[in-house]
Amino acid sequence: METHLMEEGFRWFGPGDPVPLSFIRQAGASSVFTSLHQIPYGEAWSREAIRERKQMVEDAGLRWTAVESVPVHEDIKTGRGDLKTLFENYNNSLRNLAAEGIFAVIYNFMPVLDWVRTDMRWVLPDGSESLHYDPVRFAAFEIHALKRPGAEADYSPEQLEQAAAWWASLDDDARDAFVRTIIDVFPGVKWALSLDDIRAMLAKYDGMGADGLRRNLARFLQAVIPVAEEVGVRMAIHPDDPPFSVLGLPRIVSQASDVEAIFQMVDSPANGLCFCTGSFSARADNDLPEMVRKFAPRIHATHLRSTQRLADGSFYEANHLEGSVDMPAVVRNLLDEQDRRRADGRADWQIPLRPDHGHTMMDDLPKPAGITPGYSCIGRMRGLSELRGLMLGLRAAGRL
Ligand code: DNO
């Protein structure tokens, strides 16, 4: 019996990933979300480089379904520099991807840092390790390490006190390791940025505000969506992680009204969303099943993971079917969207999913440097298996 599940994917960081393609296949995935991490941000991806990577994936019995990501250069986000060349390069990457049969392209528009966590090895009661965001520790980072002017204003007196006490309890090595955790977050690359680099990057956003950042996103979309439409690429913006302001920076992809505004910037199906339940769920006012229902036609890829919000404003990555996300309702709505696409006779009805930020657990725990936090094989395999079971259960229930 045809079950018409979502396409099961796994992130793969390329040939250097400690989790090889064979493991991904054994985890039951049929596709990967990957990127050409070796190409510097802002440069065009050649057709040859894409073809070579695609071949590698296919030789392992998998498909390259979604590109995660074709990164957006900081100059595009700040609206400075040689934008014409950057847009041309981006469009050439889209053309070359489409020519190789790859049509879903994920990107983000988060200023300065990609995702942010304050602890990559937060130990859960069962002994597995999760990613954690704690505003007190983040305050310690921006106030005591980065020394961002005005950062104090974003925290309560109690948080400031706790942050100072925590920072004082760390020795120099622990402080260095903590700072690295926060600034070394760019997927698939190690840039060894310094605090001064971060300060210089932040300075470029001085006075920009959310409207200014929105204008820069609109300019990017106006430059790339026509080409995406022409070649059949579906662009999928990834939400802010976490979905609120950090480092005093504007955030414009955090809630439903943000997504609506982005869709209106260029009103085209090619201007779509990567629905990341993990990112959106870190805000209590995001109603995820409702957002999926509302944005369904423009959801081109998904990250299905969950967070658990705690009373002090912190959150950690929960097991995929636990935490704050009503995953059955989210997945139900995504399967409904697939059914609508099939009813419309669309060949591309299937929506790719990947589990995300799996816990480090079991045999992965004692591995030395080998595990990228959030990207362990076993933890993500658990997530994927649970999601597969959920989809099959929902389909079976629909037949009862
Ligand atoms: C974090 C990921 C992000 C995401 C990019 C998309 O683990 O979800 O790094 O891939 O922001 O551009």
Side-chain angles (χ1 to χ4, degrees), residues 118-390:
T118 54
D119 190 351
M120 301 295 189
R121 309 194 61 176
W122 201 65
V123 182
L124 293 166
D126 66 3
S128 63
E129 294 172 356
S130 168
L131 311 178
H132 187 230
Y133 176 85
D134 178 354
V136 166
R137 291 193 180 190
F138 200 74
F141 167 73
E142 35 173 353
I143 295 166
H144 302 290
L146 189 65
K147 301 191 166 46
R148 179 173 75 83
E152 287 85 354
D154 292 348
Y155 299 94
S156 70
E158 198 190 357
Q159 286 176 319
L160 293 175
E161 210 173 288
Q162 289 169 356
W166 183 71
W167 183 252
S169 76
L170 302 181
D171 63 20
D172 285 350
D173 286 350
R175 286 178 179 178
D176 278 357
F178 170 64
V179 167
R180 291 272 117 241
T181 294
I182 298 207
I183 63 184
D184 249 349
V185 289
F186 296 89
V189 285
K190 281 270 170 262
W191 281 340
L193 293 177
S194 68
L195 286 171
D196 275 337
D197 294 327
I198 300 289
R199 289 181 191 112
M201 289 165 89
L202 281 174
K204 296 194 174 157
Y205 290 87
D206 266 355
M208 181 186 297
D211 286 344
L213 187 61
R214 269 192 206 103
R215 272 195 294 279
N216 293 339
L217 174 56
R219 177 159 44 186
F220 169 69
L221 291 173
Q222 282 150 13
V224 302
I225 295 297
V227 172
E229 278 177 345
E230 182 192 312
V231 299
V233 161
R234 300 178 291 275
M235 294 291 291
I237 195 165
H238 185 281
D240 304 323
D241 185 2
F244 43 79
S245 174
V246 290
L247 298 173
L249 289 165
R251 291 290 223 191
I252 57 170
V253 201
S254 295
Q255 49 190 325
S257 55
D258 292 335
V259 177
E260 277 161 25
I262 292 165
F263 285 180
Q264 278 161 21
M265 286 173 187
V266 178
D267 193 9
S268 158
N271 174 20
L273 181 64
C274 172
F275 199 92
C276 175
T277 52
S279 303
F280 282 132
S281 68
R283 261 182 98 108
D285 56 355
N286 279 336
D287 176 346
L288 271 58
E290 173 56 19
M291 286 167 78
V292 172
R293 203 194 50 70
K294 189 164 188 181
F295 301 130
R298 293 220 207 161
I299 295 177
H300 302 318
T302 60
H303 294 169
L304 300 182
R305 64 176 169 92
S306 187
T307 61
Q308 179 64 58
R309 295 184 301 268
L310 301 172
D312 61 359
S314 65
F315 66 84
Y316 66 91
E317 312 265 358
N319 284 315
H320 284 67
L321 303 191
E322 296 166 21
S324 313
V325 175
D326 182 353
M327 198 62 87
V330 164
V331 171
R332 167 79 277 156
N333 290 352
L334 288 164
L335 290 173
D336 283 350
E337 170 62 15
Q338 290 198 151
D339 291 346
R340 278 190 293 275
R341 294 180 188 185
R342 280 195 307 123
D344 288 347
R346 277 175 54 180
D348 60 349
W349 55 267
Q350 206 175 21
I351 303 173
L353 71 81
R354 68 172 179 86
D356 203 8
H357 298 180
H359 296 163
T360 304
M361 63 199 296
M362 300 181 180
D363 283 358
D364 281 336
L365 277 168
K367 284 188 184 162
I371 293 295
T372 310
Y375 289 93
S376 71
C377 185
I378 300 173
R380 285 184 296 160
M381 182 174 80
R382 174 176 172 176
L384 182 62
S385 307
E386 291 180 347
L387 291 164
R388 182 183 309 128
L390 174 59

Side-chain angles (χ1 to χ4, degrees), residues 13-59:
F13 287 114
D17 193 321
V19 179
L21 290 170
S22 60
F23 286 19
I24 293 176
R25 188 170 175 192
Q26 288 167 29
S30 51
S31 75
V32 295
F33 290 44
T34 194
S35 179
L36 299 183
H37 294 290
Q38 74 275 20
I39 301 181
Y41 286 22
E43 285 182 20
W45 293 14
S46 73
R47 214 170 145 178
E48 294 64 41
I50 297 166
R51 189 181 307 135
E52 185 199 12
R53 184 60 55 88
K54 185 182 173 206
Q55 195 60 53
M56 221 180 265
V57 171
E58 289 179 356
D59 286 348

Side-chain angles (χ1 to χ4, degrees), residues 11 68-69 106-108 110 114-115 187 238 303 354 356-357 375:
R11 187 177 212 167
E68 180 161 357
S69 306
I106 299 165
Y107 68 102
N108 75 69
M110 286 180 255
D114 198 288
W115 52 302
H238 185 281
H303 294 169
R354 68 172 179 86
D356 203 8
H357 298 180
Y375 289 93

Side-chain angles (χ1 to χ4, degrees), residues 42-119:
E43 285 182 20
W45 293 14
S46 73
R47 214 170 145 178
E48 294 64 41
I50 297 166
R51 189 181 307 135
E52 185 199 12
R53 184 60 55 88
K54 185 182 173 206
Q55 195 60 53
M56 221 180 265
V57 171
E58 289 179 356
D59 286 348
L62 296 160
R63 279 191 299 277
W64 182 2
T65 309
V67 183
E68 180 161 357
S69 306
V70 180
V72 175
H73 192 275
E74 275 290 299
D75 284 355
I76 295 178
K77 299 179 187 175
T78 59
R80 296 156 199 239
D82 184 1
L83 297 183
K84 192 164 168 274
T85 304
L86 287 171
F87 291 153
E88 249 169 51
N89 288 351
Y90 206 97
N91 281 332
N92 282 335
S93 300
L94 299 185
R95 287 191 187 97
N96 289 338
L97 283 163
E100 291 300 324
I102 302 164
F103 297 105
V105 172
I106 299 165
Y107 68 102
N108 75 69
F109 222 75
M110 286 180 255
V112 183
L113 297 176
D114 198 288
W115 52 302
V116 176
R117 293 291 182 278
T118 54
D119 190 351

